[in-house]
Amino acid sequence: MASTLEIKNLRVKIEDKEILKGINLTLKEGEIHAIMGPNGSGKSTLAYTIMGHPKYEIIEGDILLNGESILEWTPDERARAGMFLGFQHPQSISGVTLSSLLRTAMIVRDEERRPPNIIKFTKELRALAKDLNMRTELTERYVNEGFSGGERKKNEVLQMLVLKPRFAFLDEPDSGLDVDALRDVAKGINRLHEETNAGIMLITHYQRILHYVQPTRLTILKDGLIVKTGGPELAEEIEKEGYESITGE
Ligand code: ADP
Ligand code: MG
């Protein structure tokens, strides 16, 4: 049976301010669901809430993974169940190399499996980095320390490709990228989709990335509510009409 993530009437507040005001959406394995919306509409809040960030308080609603509520699950348990968040603003981690971070993540996740062979792992990691047009030595540097904006974004995609999540929530993986980096990031996202049939929630402010990653569904969020949702044809409508005219921005 295909895996499904369902968000039901989700209302979320931060510091007594209601941010999400009743969101309903479903993400199935194999789907690429683009979530668009102006700044401040609640896109990051949605992504963080799905991953279980403690700062976001759920007032009402539920998040179900294959029919089971995950609201009581820690972010770690959600990650082990195959959920992955690509951050809008990836932080640096001093003293930890990307390569050791990812090996540890794999060991923790796959308790029953033997740790990946370090030589084979390093080789594969570098090949993936190269494919994203990243300098391969970055994998042996401290996570994101001294990385450019584009390198940080590619780094998120690299982590995703290594961890092979069943569901990836990518929060503006395209923001601040030049066209070459955008193509590389899009290639990484398409690669995960083709190789693993993951369900992908692609959060974006700009339609630009949708020229490279074809969404199966598109939802527009505004002020904590879904104002429009549709199939791939909605991407064409946005292309023609402009996204602001649809959202009334
Ligand atoms: P988006 O990702 O669509 O730009 P966000 O989810 O980041 O939107 O923010 C939605 C709203 O929540 C905004 O009004 C923002 O000011 C508010 N918000 C987000 N994070 C916090 C926070 N940590 N504390 C207070 N308000 C926040
Ligand atoms: Mg955001």
Side-chain angles (χ1 to χ4, degrees):
M1 198 190 75
S3 289
T4 308
L5 188 106
E6 287 169 280
I7 295 164
K8 291 201 162 155
N9 189 29
L10 188 67
R11 290 173 58 209
V12 174
K13 68 175 182 183
I14 316 171
E15 293 163 8
D16 286 334
K17 186 179 165 206
E18 187 166 344
I19 310 288
L20 299 181
K21 301 169 181 169
I23 301 288
N24 289 289
L25 60 86
T26 302
L27 179 63
K28 290 200 181 87
E29 207 173 283
E31 285 182 342
I32 300 180
H33 196 143
I35 309 281
M36 297 189 74
N39 284 326
S41 55
K43 304 185 297 298
S44 294
T45 300
L46 178 62
Y48 276 119
T49 305
I50 291 171
M51 278 315 280
H53 193 298
K55 195 170 69 186
Y56 300 88
E57 189 187 333
I58 295 172
I59 311 169
E60 201 186 331
D62 209 345
I63 305 172
L64 307 170
L65 182 61
N66 299 327
E68 185 183 350
S69 175
I70 62 167
L71 291 190
E72 301 300 324
W73 297 15
T74 63
D76 181 56
E77 287 169 328
R78 296 178 202 212
R80 284 179 206 223
M83 294 165 65
F84 174 91
L85 173 62
F87 292 99
Q88 182 175 358
H89 304 290
Q91 302 297 307
S92 57
I93 312 172
S94 203
V96 180
T97 66
L98 178 66
S99 150
S100 67
L101 174 78
L102 283 172
R103 281 190 79 235
T104 307
M106 289 176 81
I107 291 164
V108 169
R109 185 193 57 186
D110 306 333
E111 278 164 339
E112 74 285 7
R113 263 182 33 188
R114 301 227 325 269
N117 172 288
I118 189 155
I119 294 169
K120 188 164 166 269
F121 174 79
T122 306
K123 212 171 137 194
E124 285 172 1
L125 183 60
R126 289 189 177 196
L128 284 172
K130 197 152 176 261
D131 221 42
L132 292 168
N133 282 313
M134 281 174 85
R135 292 181 288 135
T136 53
E137 70 266 24
L138 292 183
T139 61
E140 299 306 326
R141 292 240 305 262
Y142 294 159
V143 179
N144 288 329
E145 203 162 84
F147 285 28
S148 71
E151 286 170 340
R152 286 179 183 230
K153 292 293 201 189
K154 286 187 185 182
N155 207 358
E156 295 295 291
V157 175
L158 179 60
Q159 291 170 46
M160 176 185 82
L161 288 171
V162 172
L163 294 171
K164 296 191 175 64
R166 184 149 306 155
F167 288 107
F169 307 92
L170 305 176
D171 194 358
E172 301 203 23
D174 51 340
S175 63
L177 298 185
D178 64 34
V179 69
D180 291 325
L182 178 69
R183 282 209 186 97
D184 293 330
V185 160
K187 193 171 126 192
I189 296 170
N190 286 327
R191 179 173 178 166
L192 179 84
H193 185 245
E194 280 154 23
E195 289 182 0
T196 72
N197 200 38
I200 297 171
M201 180 183 281
L202 175 60
I203 295 174
T204 180
H205 183 76
Y206 300 104
Q207 77 197 73
R208 199 173 59 142
I209 193 168
L210 306 182
H211 291 253
Y212 304 99
V213 179
Q214 284 232 312
T216 46
R217 189 155 194 89
L218 218 144
T219 288
I220 301 176
L221 202 66
K222 199 185 170 193
D223 196 19
L225 284 167
I226 290 174
V227 291
K228 192 147 191 166
T229 185
E233 73 286 349
L234 185 53
E236 285 160 36
E237 194 182 324
I238 291 171
E239 186 81 86
K240 275 211 262 1
E241 311 290 330
Y243 156 62
E244 285 76 14
S245 77
I246 291 174
T247 61
E249 196 183 345

